[in-house]
Amino acid sequence: MTNPLIQSRDDFARRHTEERVVLNGREWGVVDTGGEGPALLLIPGTLGRGDIFWQQIEALEGRARILSVTYPASGGVAEWSGDLAALLDDRRIGKAVVLGSSLGGYLAQYIAAAHPARVERLIAANTLYDTAPAKQNPPYVSDLDAAPIEELRAGFGRGLNAWADSHPDQKHMVDLLLAEVGGRIPEAELRNRLKGIKNAPALPPVGLPSERIITIEGADDPLIPLFMRDEVRTQLQPAVAYRFESGGHFPYTVRPDLYTAILEEQLGLVPASSTPWGTGKVRAL
């Protein structure tokens, strides 16, 4: 049976070929829409390539300059932060709204601390502030260099299939992610993403005022428990905290229109009052 999400993503990927770009000696993948408008840097989590945000990119293309990245097979959070600052230099972008999800949200916070002059707004999405609790659980307790890749991929599969069993309406999304972890993300890149969390440095204080900090979380996120969500908001003190009441860990895929509405607001493309999210400091849908 055809998976409409995979088909839509693949159609997007054919129209937007991922560039391979060397930054400080590491090879990144980059989807660059070109064009004019406010700059937006999108950083995925462990299970996405740069095109995982295809629905948002398609909706915003022509109104914003979008860069969406795929992680390299080496380096870690601190090195990646410098790489993405170099990417902005390479594309002659002074400042960007930086959205990172999950692992990408941790990296986005690090960028805002290490390179605050490059960040117009920080959007920390479905993420964590302290990696210590995560490091105590599989797969991070494994030797990520020596563990069989089949074992690591199977671990992701168990979690994703359990989510599909409890949320059968999201099976297409789960199958898309299973294809990512099943080989669309190469082994070396997948291992290195896991090491990015396992070896992550502590986050320095973010060098932005609260009015330029936004958070996104999911009330039913199976990977970011409530105490982690609370810690992110406590540490960042965001001007606006968006909460998806459903959508799990991947609301940009499950509820793409509402996710795009957040980006439209934060890029200044529409007034906040024109979207379903409303205008409060905490906005839940």
Side-chain angles (χ1 to χ4, degrees):
M1 186 174 74
T2 300
N3 182 317
L5 281 180
I6 292 176
Q7 182 174 339
S8 176
R9 192 276 319 281
D10 288 350
D11 288 345
F12 172 88
R14 281 190 287 271
R15 295 192 305 272
H16 297 78
T17 303
E18 181 182 275
E19 302 176 55
R20 303 304 294 179
V21 178
V22 176
L23 302 165
N24 299 324
R26 284 170 286 275
E27 185 177 271
W28 289 75
V30 179
V31 175
D32 183 350
T33 64
E36 303 296 327
L40 172 64
L41 174 62
L42 296 170
I43 312 173
T46 304
L47 294 189
R49 301 184 67 82
D51 55 20
I52 196 71
F53 295 107
W54 87 94
Q55 295 173 97
Q56 288 70 49
I57 298 171
E58 286 188 324
L60 296 171
E61 191 170 7
R63 295 186 288 160
R65 170 72 184 280
I66 306 168
L67 301 173
S68 192
V69 299
T70 298
Y71 294 97
S74 62
V77 168
E79 293 82 8
W80 297 340
S81 170
D83 294 351
L84 293 181
L87 176 63
L88 295 179
D89 288 339
D90 180 68
R91 304 302 158 110
R92 295 183 172 86
I93 295 172
K95 283 186 176 183
V97 173
V98 179
L99 181 145
S101 182
S102 195
L103 166 60
Y106 196 88
L107 173 55
Q109 292 173 77
Y110 198 95
I111 293 170
H115 306 280
R118 312 309 301 273
V119 180
E120 183 65 39
R121 286 178 183 268
L122 165 66
I123 306 179
N126 294 81
T127 193
L128 65 172
Y129 185 82
D130 178 5
T131 61
K135 294 173 186 177
Q136 299 169 20
N137 298 311
Y140 305 104
V141 293
S142 302
D143 181 337
L144 295 175
D145 289 310
I149 190 61
E150 295 78 12
E151 176 184 303
L152 297 175
R153 287 177 169 151
F156 283 113
R158 286 190 293 272
L160 289 167
N161 282 312
W163 182 259
D165 289 343
S166 60
H167 297 77
D169 59 309
Q170 296 181 26
K171 186 176 188 311
H172 288 315
M173 182 273 291
V174 168
D175 287 345
L176 181 146
L177 295 171
L178 286 170
E180 295 287 293
V181 75
R184 194 166 185 264
I185 299 171
E187 175 182 343
E189 291 180 16
L190 183 61
R191 288 184 186 275
N192 200 53
R193 294 176 193 212
L194 294 172
K195 289 191 286 186
I197 287 290
K198 184 169 185 174
N199 302 327
L203 287 172
V206 169
L208 299 177
S210 290
E211 60 264 26
R212 289 164 54 193
I213 300 174
I214 309 300
T215 59
I216 299 174
E217 62 186 74
D220 62 344
D221 190 331
L223 301 182
I224 307 295
L226 179 59
F227 81 90
M228 288 186 181
R229 292 178 245 146
D230 288 344
E231 184 176 39
V232 169
R233 278 183 273 102
T234 297
Q235 294 293 334
L236 294 182
Q237 291 294 301
V240 181
Y242 296 91
R243 184 176 71 242
F244 284 86
E245 300 293 10
S246 65
H249 193 61
F250 304 94
Y252 48 86
T253 302
V254 177
R255 304 182 74 186
D257 292 343
L258 283 177
Y259 210 91
T260 297
I262 294 173
L263 295 176
E264 288 176 319
E265 288 183 20
Q266 297 306 322
L267 289 165
L269 299 174
V270 301
S273 58
S274 70
T275 79
W277 285 103
T279 58
K281 182 170 182 178
V282 177
R283 306 177 190 178
L285 284 174

